[in-house]
Amino acid sequence: MDDTPRKAPGFLSHARLIGFITLISRLVGLAREMVGAYYFGANAIWAAWKVAFTIPNLFRKLLGEGALSAAFIPLYAQAVKRQDEKNTYAEGAVPLEIDCNGPPAGALHIDAPVNAGLNSPGDFAAASVNVLVFLLILVTAVGEAILLALMMFAPLRPDHLLTVKLSMIMLPYVLLVCGTAFLSAVLQVHGRFAVAAATSIVLNLCLIAAIVSSARLFDLQNPSGQESAVRWLSWSVLVSGVIQVAMLVPSLHAVGFRFRFMTAIWTPAVRRMLQMTAPVAVGAGVLQIGVLMDKGLAIALSEAPNQSTMHPFGMSLRLPMAEGAAARLDLAQFMYQFPLGVFAIALATAIFPRLAREASAENAPGPRSTLQATNEFRAVLRRGIEAALFLGIPASAGMVLVATPAARLLFQHGQFTSDDARWVALSTAIYSSAIWAFSLLQIINRAYYALHDALTPLKWVVWNLLINLVVEIPLLWTPLRESGMAVGTLVSFTIQSLGMLWLLSRRVGGLGLRSILPGILKMLVATITMTVACLGIAASPIYPAAESKSGWAAQLMLLMTTGAAVYFGACLVLGVNVPGWIRRRA
């Protein structure tokens, strides 16, 4: 049977909107990183702030955009869909009941008592937000207690102690940023993506203003002035969190959501959501622990003023990374995540509610079960994979090609040295080699969550962490030094993305990937053609060689325009007209 959808879904249109707003946010974020590099460079104090700022963002990815959203969106989307269907056939429709005592897949059915109360989608969302607030307050309190104990009792060197103090200031941001992400999930189900995608712009603008003002308030030429400045930045993070939540209120009111304190939140719907959340939370938790572990390794194994060795078990061992490695790796991650955030995450954010609505209501995930997926689900997923790779494959090659001129142009100024830029460029090139894998994984993970299978992503996250550590730790003591961490990420995510895709296709009885394979092969050929053309330009006499901002800008623009023209031209010659395909069917 032909499973091509007769009515085209609109997720690609939403993805374009999210991508555009995310592009603006990333550009503002890039400005933030440039300003930070100019005033602080890549020293131990700035690295401490970078690591401390990572902690609340890890919880955002774990809870706000991770576990709870992954469990909430499918339940809420299917609830809203059933209520919309009922409203189509009945006047004065009554609230929808979410059956959470039925099949283990979290199937939803309509049972419409007049006083359904907390079983209505709106009340389910409000109760879920109450649960989130309770959990986040608990997480914040426990986290502050742990950080206080570290500050008082652990023998920490100065930059590590500063990291703990800054983390204590910014930890309450967990409540604000996770709340923003979860409330954004409510809007996404109702097809409102713009304001949710724009909230990160506020954070970047607040930090830029705080960095510039700190340069006027404090002497950034000495360590004490820099320490005062990063404390100032930490408080500005909290201010931005309040503004982000406030931005969402009008749109939430427009879709009928009202936050209210509720005591009766332990409903069947909420219990079902938490049951689905548990394995996702563990999986996301392992992944975020891995991210935090990388950050911790970067700052723990980096040199600091007057310290170039460590003494484990009484032995003297050279610290493998130069001072500021954590800050440089953070910039490299920002660089490769730039196209990832603009294209892949935007696409995955838009496709998730659609996948959740189209997933079968009879899924029973288990180690030997076959997940049930509708034909519409398969078609939407194939289109998502093809769209992700159409940009992910050339982005991987393109970022490798432009890593050096981009890093020098954007960051090599002020206190950020040419050696710092060289390390950022190398790490960026290695990370970027896996952009296609990151892009693919964004789609695949959401497909599993839409099918109510959180166990498989959990298993793969554990394998990812183990592979990453096994690969990266020995490489730290090689000439790669800090860039060895990027190699571990490249290897582990490549294996995870391909393995999860193969397993998903096998478990749903086939995704029909052969139908899109010719197009993907043509994308690979176009990317190879683009790479050869750019390398030829770089080796030609017309390639600028000046060691200056204008020279690096000219190199970057020449490579980018050549790459884009050759890739899209090759796609056109090969018959890959994905932009036109998107316009026709989105």
Side-chain angles (χ1 to χ4, degrees):
M1 176 183 295
D2 181 13
D3 59 5
T4 301
R6 288 174 295 180
K7 182 179 180 181
F11 73 83
L12 288 170
S13 298
H14 290 146
R16 288 196 295 268
L17 173 63
I18 298 170
F20 174 75
I21 297 173
T22 304
L23 174 61
I24 302 301
S25 175
R26 293 281 172 163
L27 290 174
V28 179
L30 177 60
R32 181 198 80 195
E33 296 293 350
M34 293 172 64
V35 172
Y38 180 84
Y39 285 111
F40 291 95
N43 59 27
I45 292 174
W46 189 236
W49 187 86
K50 288 277 191 177
V51 173
F53 182 58
T54 298
I55 294 176
N57 280 289
L58 292 182
F59 282 103
R60 170 180 61 85
K61 295 175 182 178
L62 169 61
L63 294 176
E65 295 176 353
L68 284 171
S69 290
F72 171 78
I73 286 179
L75 290 174
Y76 186 60
Q78 291 183 9
V80 171
K81 178 182 179 181
R82 293 296 181 88
Q83 188 172 57
D84 290 343
E85 290 173 350
K86 186 173 182 63
N87 290 342
T88 302
Y89 295 103
E91 295 182 2
V94 292
L96 171 72
E97 180 179 355
I98 305 174
D99 179 15
C100 296
N101 297 314
L108 307 180
H109 73 273
I110 296 176
D111 182 11
V114 174
N115 297 313
L118 292 180
N119 291 319
S120 69
D123 285 342
F124 168 53
S128 300
V129 172
N130 275 263
V131 170
L132 177 68
V133 170
F134 173 78
L135 289 175
L136 293 176
I137 291 175
L138 181 62
V139 165
T140 303
V142 172
E144 293 284 7
I146 294 173
L147 291 171
L148 180 61
L150 286 174
M151 185 179 69
M152 295 179 64
F153 302 112
L156 302 174
R157 74 188 199 191
D159 58 325
H160 296 173
L161 179 60
L162 178 61
T163 303
V164 172
K165 291 179 178 178
L166 297 177
S167 299
M168 293 183 70
I169 295 175
M170 288 187 279
L171 194 58
Y173 183 61
V174 168
L175 177 62
L176 299 167
V177 72
C178 289
T180 298
F182 193 83
L183 293 173
S184 297
V186 175
L187 295 176
Q188 289 165 15
V189 172
H190 291 279
R192 292 175 177 255
F193 295 90
V195 67
T199 53
S200 58
I201 298 176
V202 172
L203 170 65
N204 292 323
L205 290 175
C206 285
L207 287 177
I208 290 173
I211 293 171
V212 174
S213 62
S214 70
R216 297 179 178 273
L217 295 171
F218 310 105
D219 181 8
L220 300 185
Q221 299 303 314
N222 64 72
S224 61
Q226 289 197 354
E227 288 191 20
S228 298
V230 292
R231 288 191 179 91
W232 174 266
L233 295 183
S234 299
W235 287 111
S236 72
V237 169
L238 300 182
V239 174
S240 75
V242 174
I243 299 174
Q244 289 177 69
V245 173
M247 285 178 59
L248 300 179
V249 172
S251 295
L252 290 167
H253 283 180
V255 300
F257 174 83
R258 301 290 188 275
F259 175 77
R260 55 192 181 277
F261 177 75
M262 303 171 66
T263 56
I265 59 175
W266 196 243
T267 64
V270 171
R271 287 198 299 271
R272 176 60 190 148
M273 181 187 71
L274 293 178
Q275 288 171 2
M276 294 172 61
T277 294
V280 182
V282 174
V286 173
L287 179 60
Q288 298 311 319
I289 288 172
V291 173
L292 186 59
M293 186 179 299
D294 275 356
K295 299 281 187 180
L297 285 173
I299 196 170
L301 299 180
S302 297
E303 297 174 348
N306 303 318
Q307 187 165 358
S308 60
T309 60
M310 60 181 179
H311 303 279
F313 309 107
M315 299 182 298
S316 180
L317 190 63
R318 175 181 64 86
L319 288 166
M321 292 180 277
E323 179 182 350
R328 289 189 295 271
L329 284 169
D330 191 78
L331 286 177
Q333 290 166 357
F334 178 88
M335 293 275 283
Y336 89 80
Q337 288 173 0
F338 191 99
L340 183 68
V342 172
F343 304 121
I345 296 177
L347 178 64
T349 300
I351 201 175
F352 189 26
R354 178 72 186 199
L355 288 172
R357 286 194 295 269
E358 301 301 339
S360 171
E362 298 179 356
N363 299 311
R368 297 184 178 179
S369 64
T370 299
L371 298 176
Q372 299 300 313
T374 64
N375 290 334
E376 182 85 3
F377 176 92
R378 292 186 179 93
V380 170
L381 182 57
R382 284 198 303 274
R383 295 176 63 206
I385 291 171
E386 190 172 11
L389 292 180
F390 176 71
L391 295 171
I393 294 173
S396 291
M399 284 297 295
V400 173
L401 292 167
V402 305
T404 296
R408 288 180 173 180
L409 174 65
L410 297 174
F411 306 121
Q412 189 175 318
H413 51 202
Q415 299 194 49
F416 203 87
T417 67
S418 59
D419 195 52
D420 291 329
R422 181 177 65 85
W423 282 112
V424 170
L426 178 58
S427 298
T428 298
I430 298 172
Y431 278 127
S432 297
S433 301
I435 287 177
W436 66 270
F438 297 130
S439 302
L440 188 59
L441 201 55
Q442 296 297 323
I443 305 296
I444 296 170
N445 272 332
R446 283 161 174 81
Y448 276 103
Y449 295 147
L451 294 168
H452 304 292
D453 178 11
L455 185 60
T456 300
L458 167 60
K459 293 177 179 178
W460 276 100
V461 163
V462 174
W463 279 111
N464 179 300
L465 178 59
L466 293 175
I467 294 169
N468 190 17
L469 291 174
V470 168
V471 172
E472 73 183 13
I473 290 180
L475 293 176
L476 297 179
W477 278 270
T478 71
L480 283 172
R481 302 190 76 179
E482 64 195 56
S483 297
M485 303 186 80
V487 176
T489 300
L490 165 64
V491 173
S492 60
F493 276 91
T494 298
I495 294 173
Q496 182 181 358
S497 61
L498 294 177
M500 289 184 69
L501 179 61
W502 173 79
L503 188 60
L504 178 63
S505 180
R506 178 183 171 191
R507 292 187 62 191
V508 300
L511 294 174
L513 296 179
R514 289 186 178 180
S515 64
I516 63 174
L517 184 58
I520 294 173
L521 291 176
K522 292 177 181 178
M523 295 173 199
L524 284 170
V525 172
T527 300
I528 293 171
T529 305
M530 175 196 78
T531 303
V532 172
C534 288
L535 291 176
I537 287 289
S540 71
I542 67 171
Y543 191 68
E547 289 293 316
S548 64
K549 289 289 183 184
S550 59
W552 298 326
Q555 290 175 355
L556 185 61
M557 291 303 299
L558 185 58
L559 290 173
M560 289 177 62
T561 53
T562 300
V566 172
Y567 177 73
F568 286 104
C571 284
L572 185 62
V573 170
L574 294 170
V576 180
N577 187 20
V578 174
W581 172 77
I582 290 176
R583 284 195 299 271
R584 288 195 306 271
R585 300 175 64 182

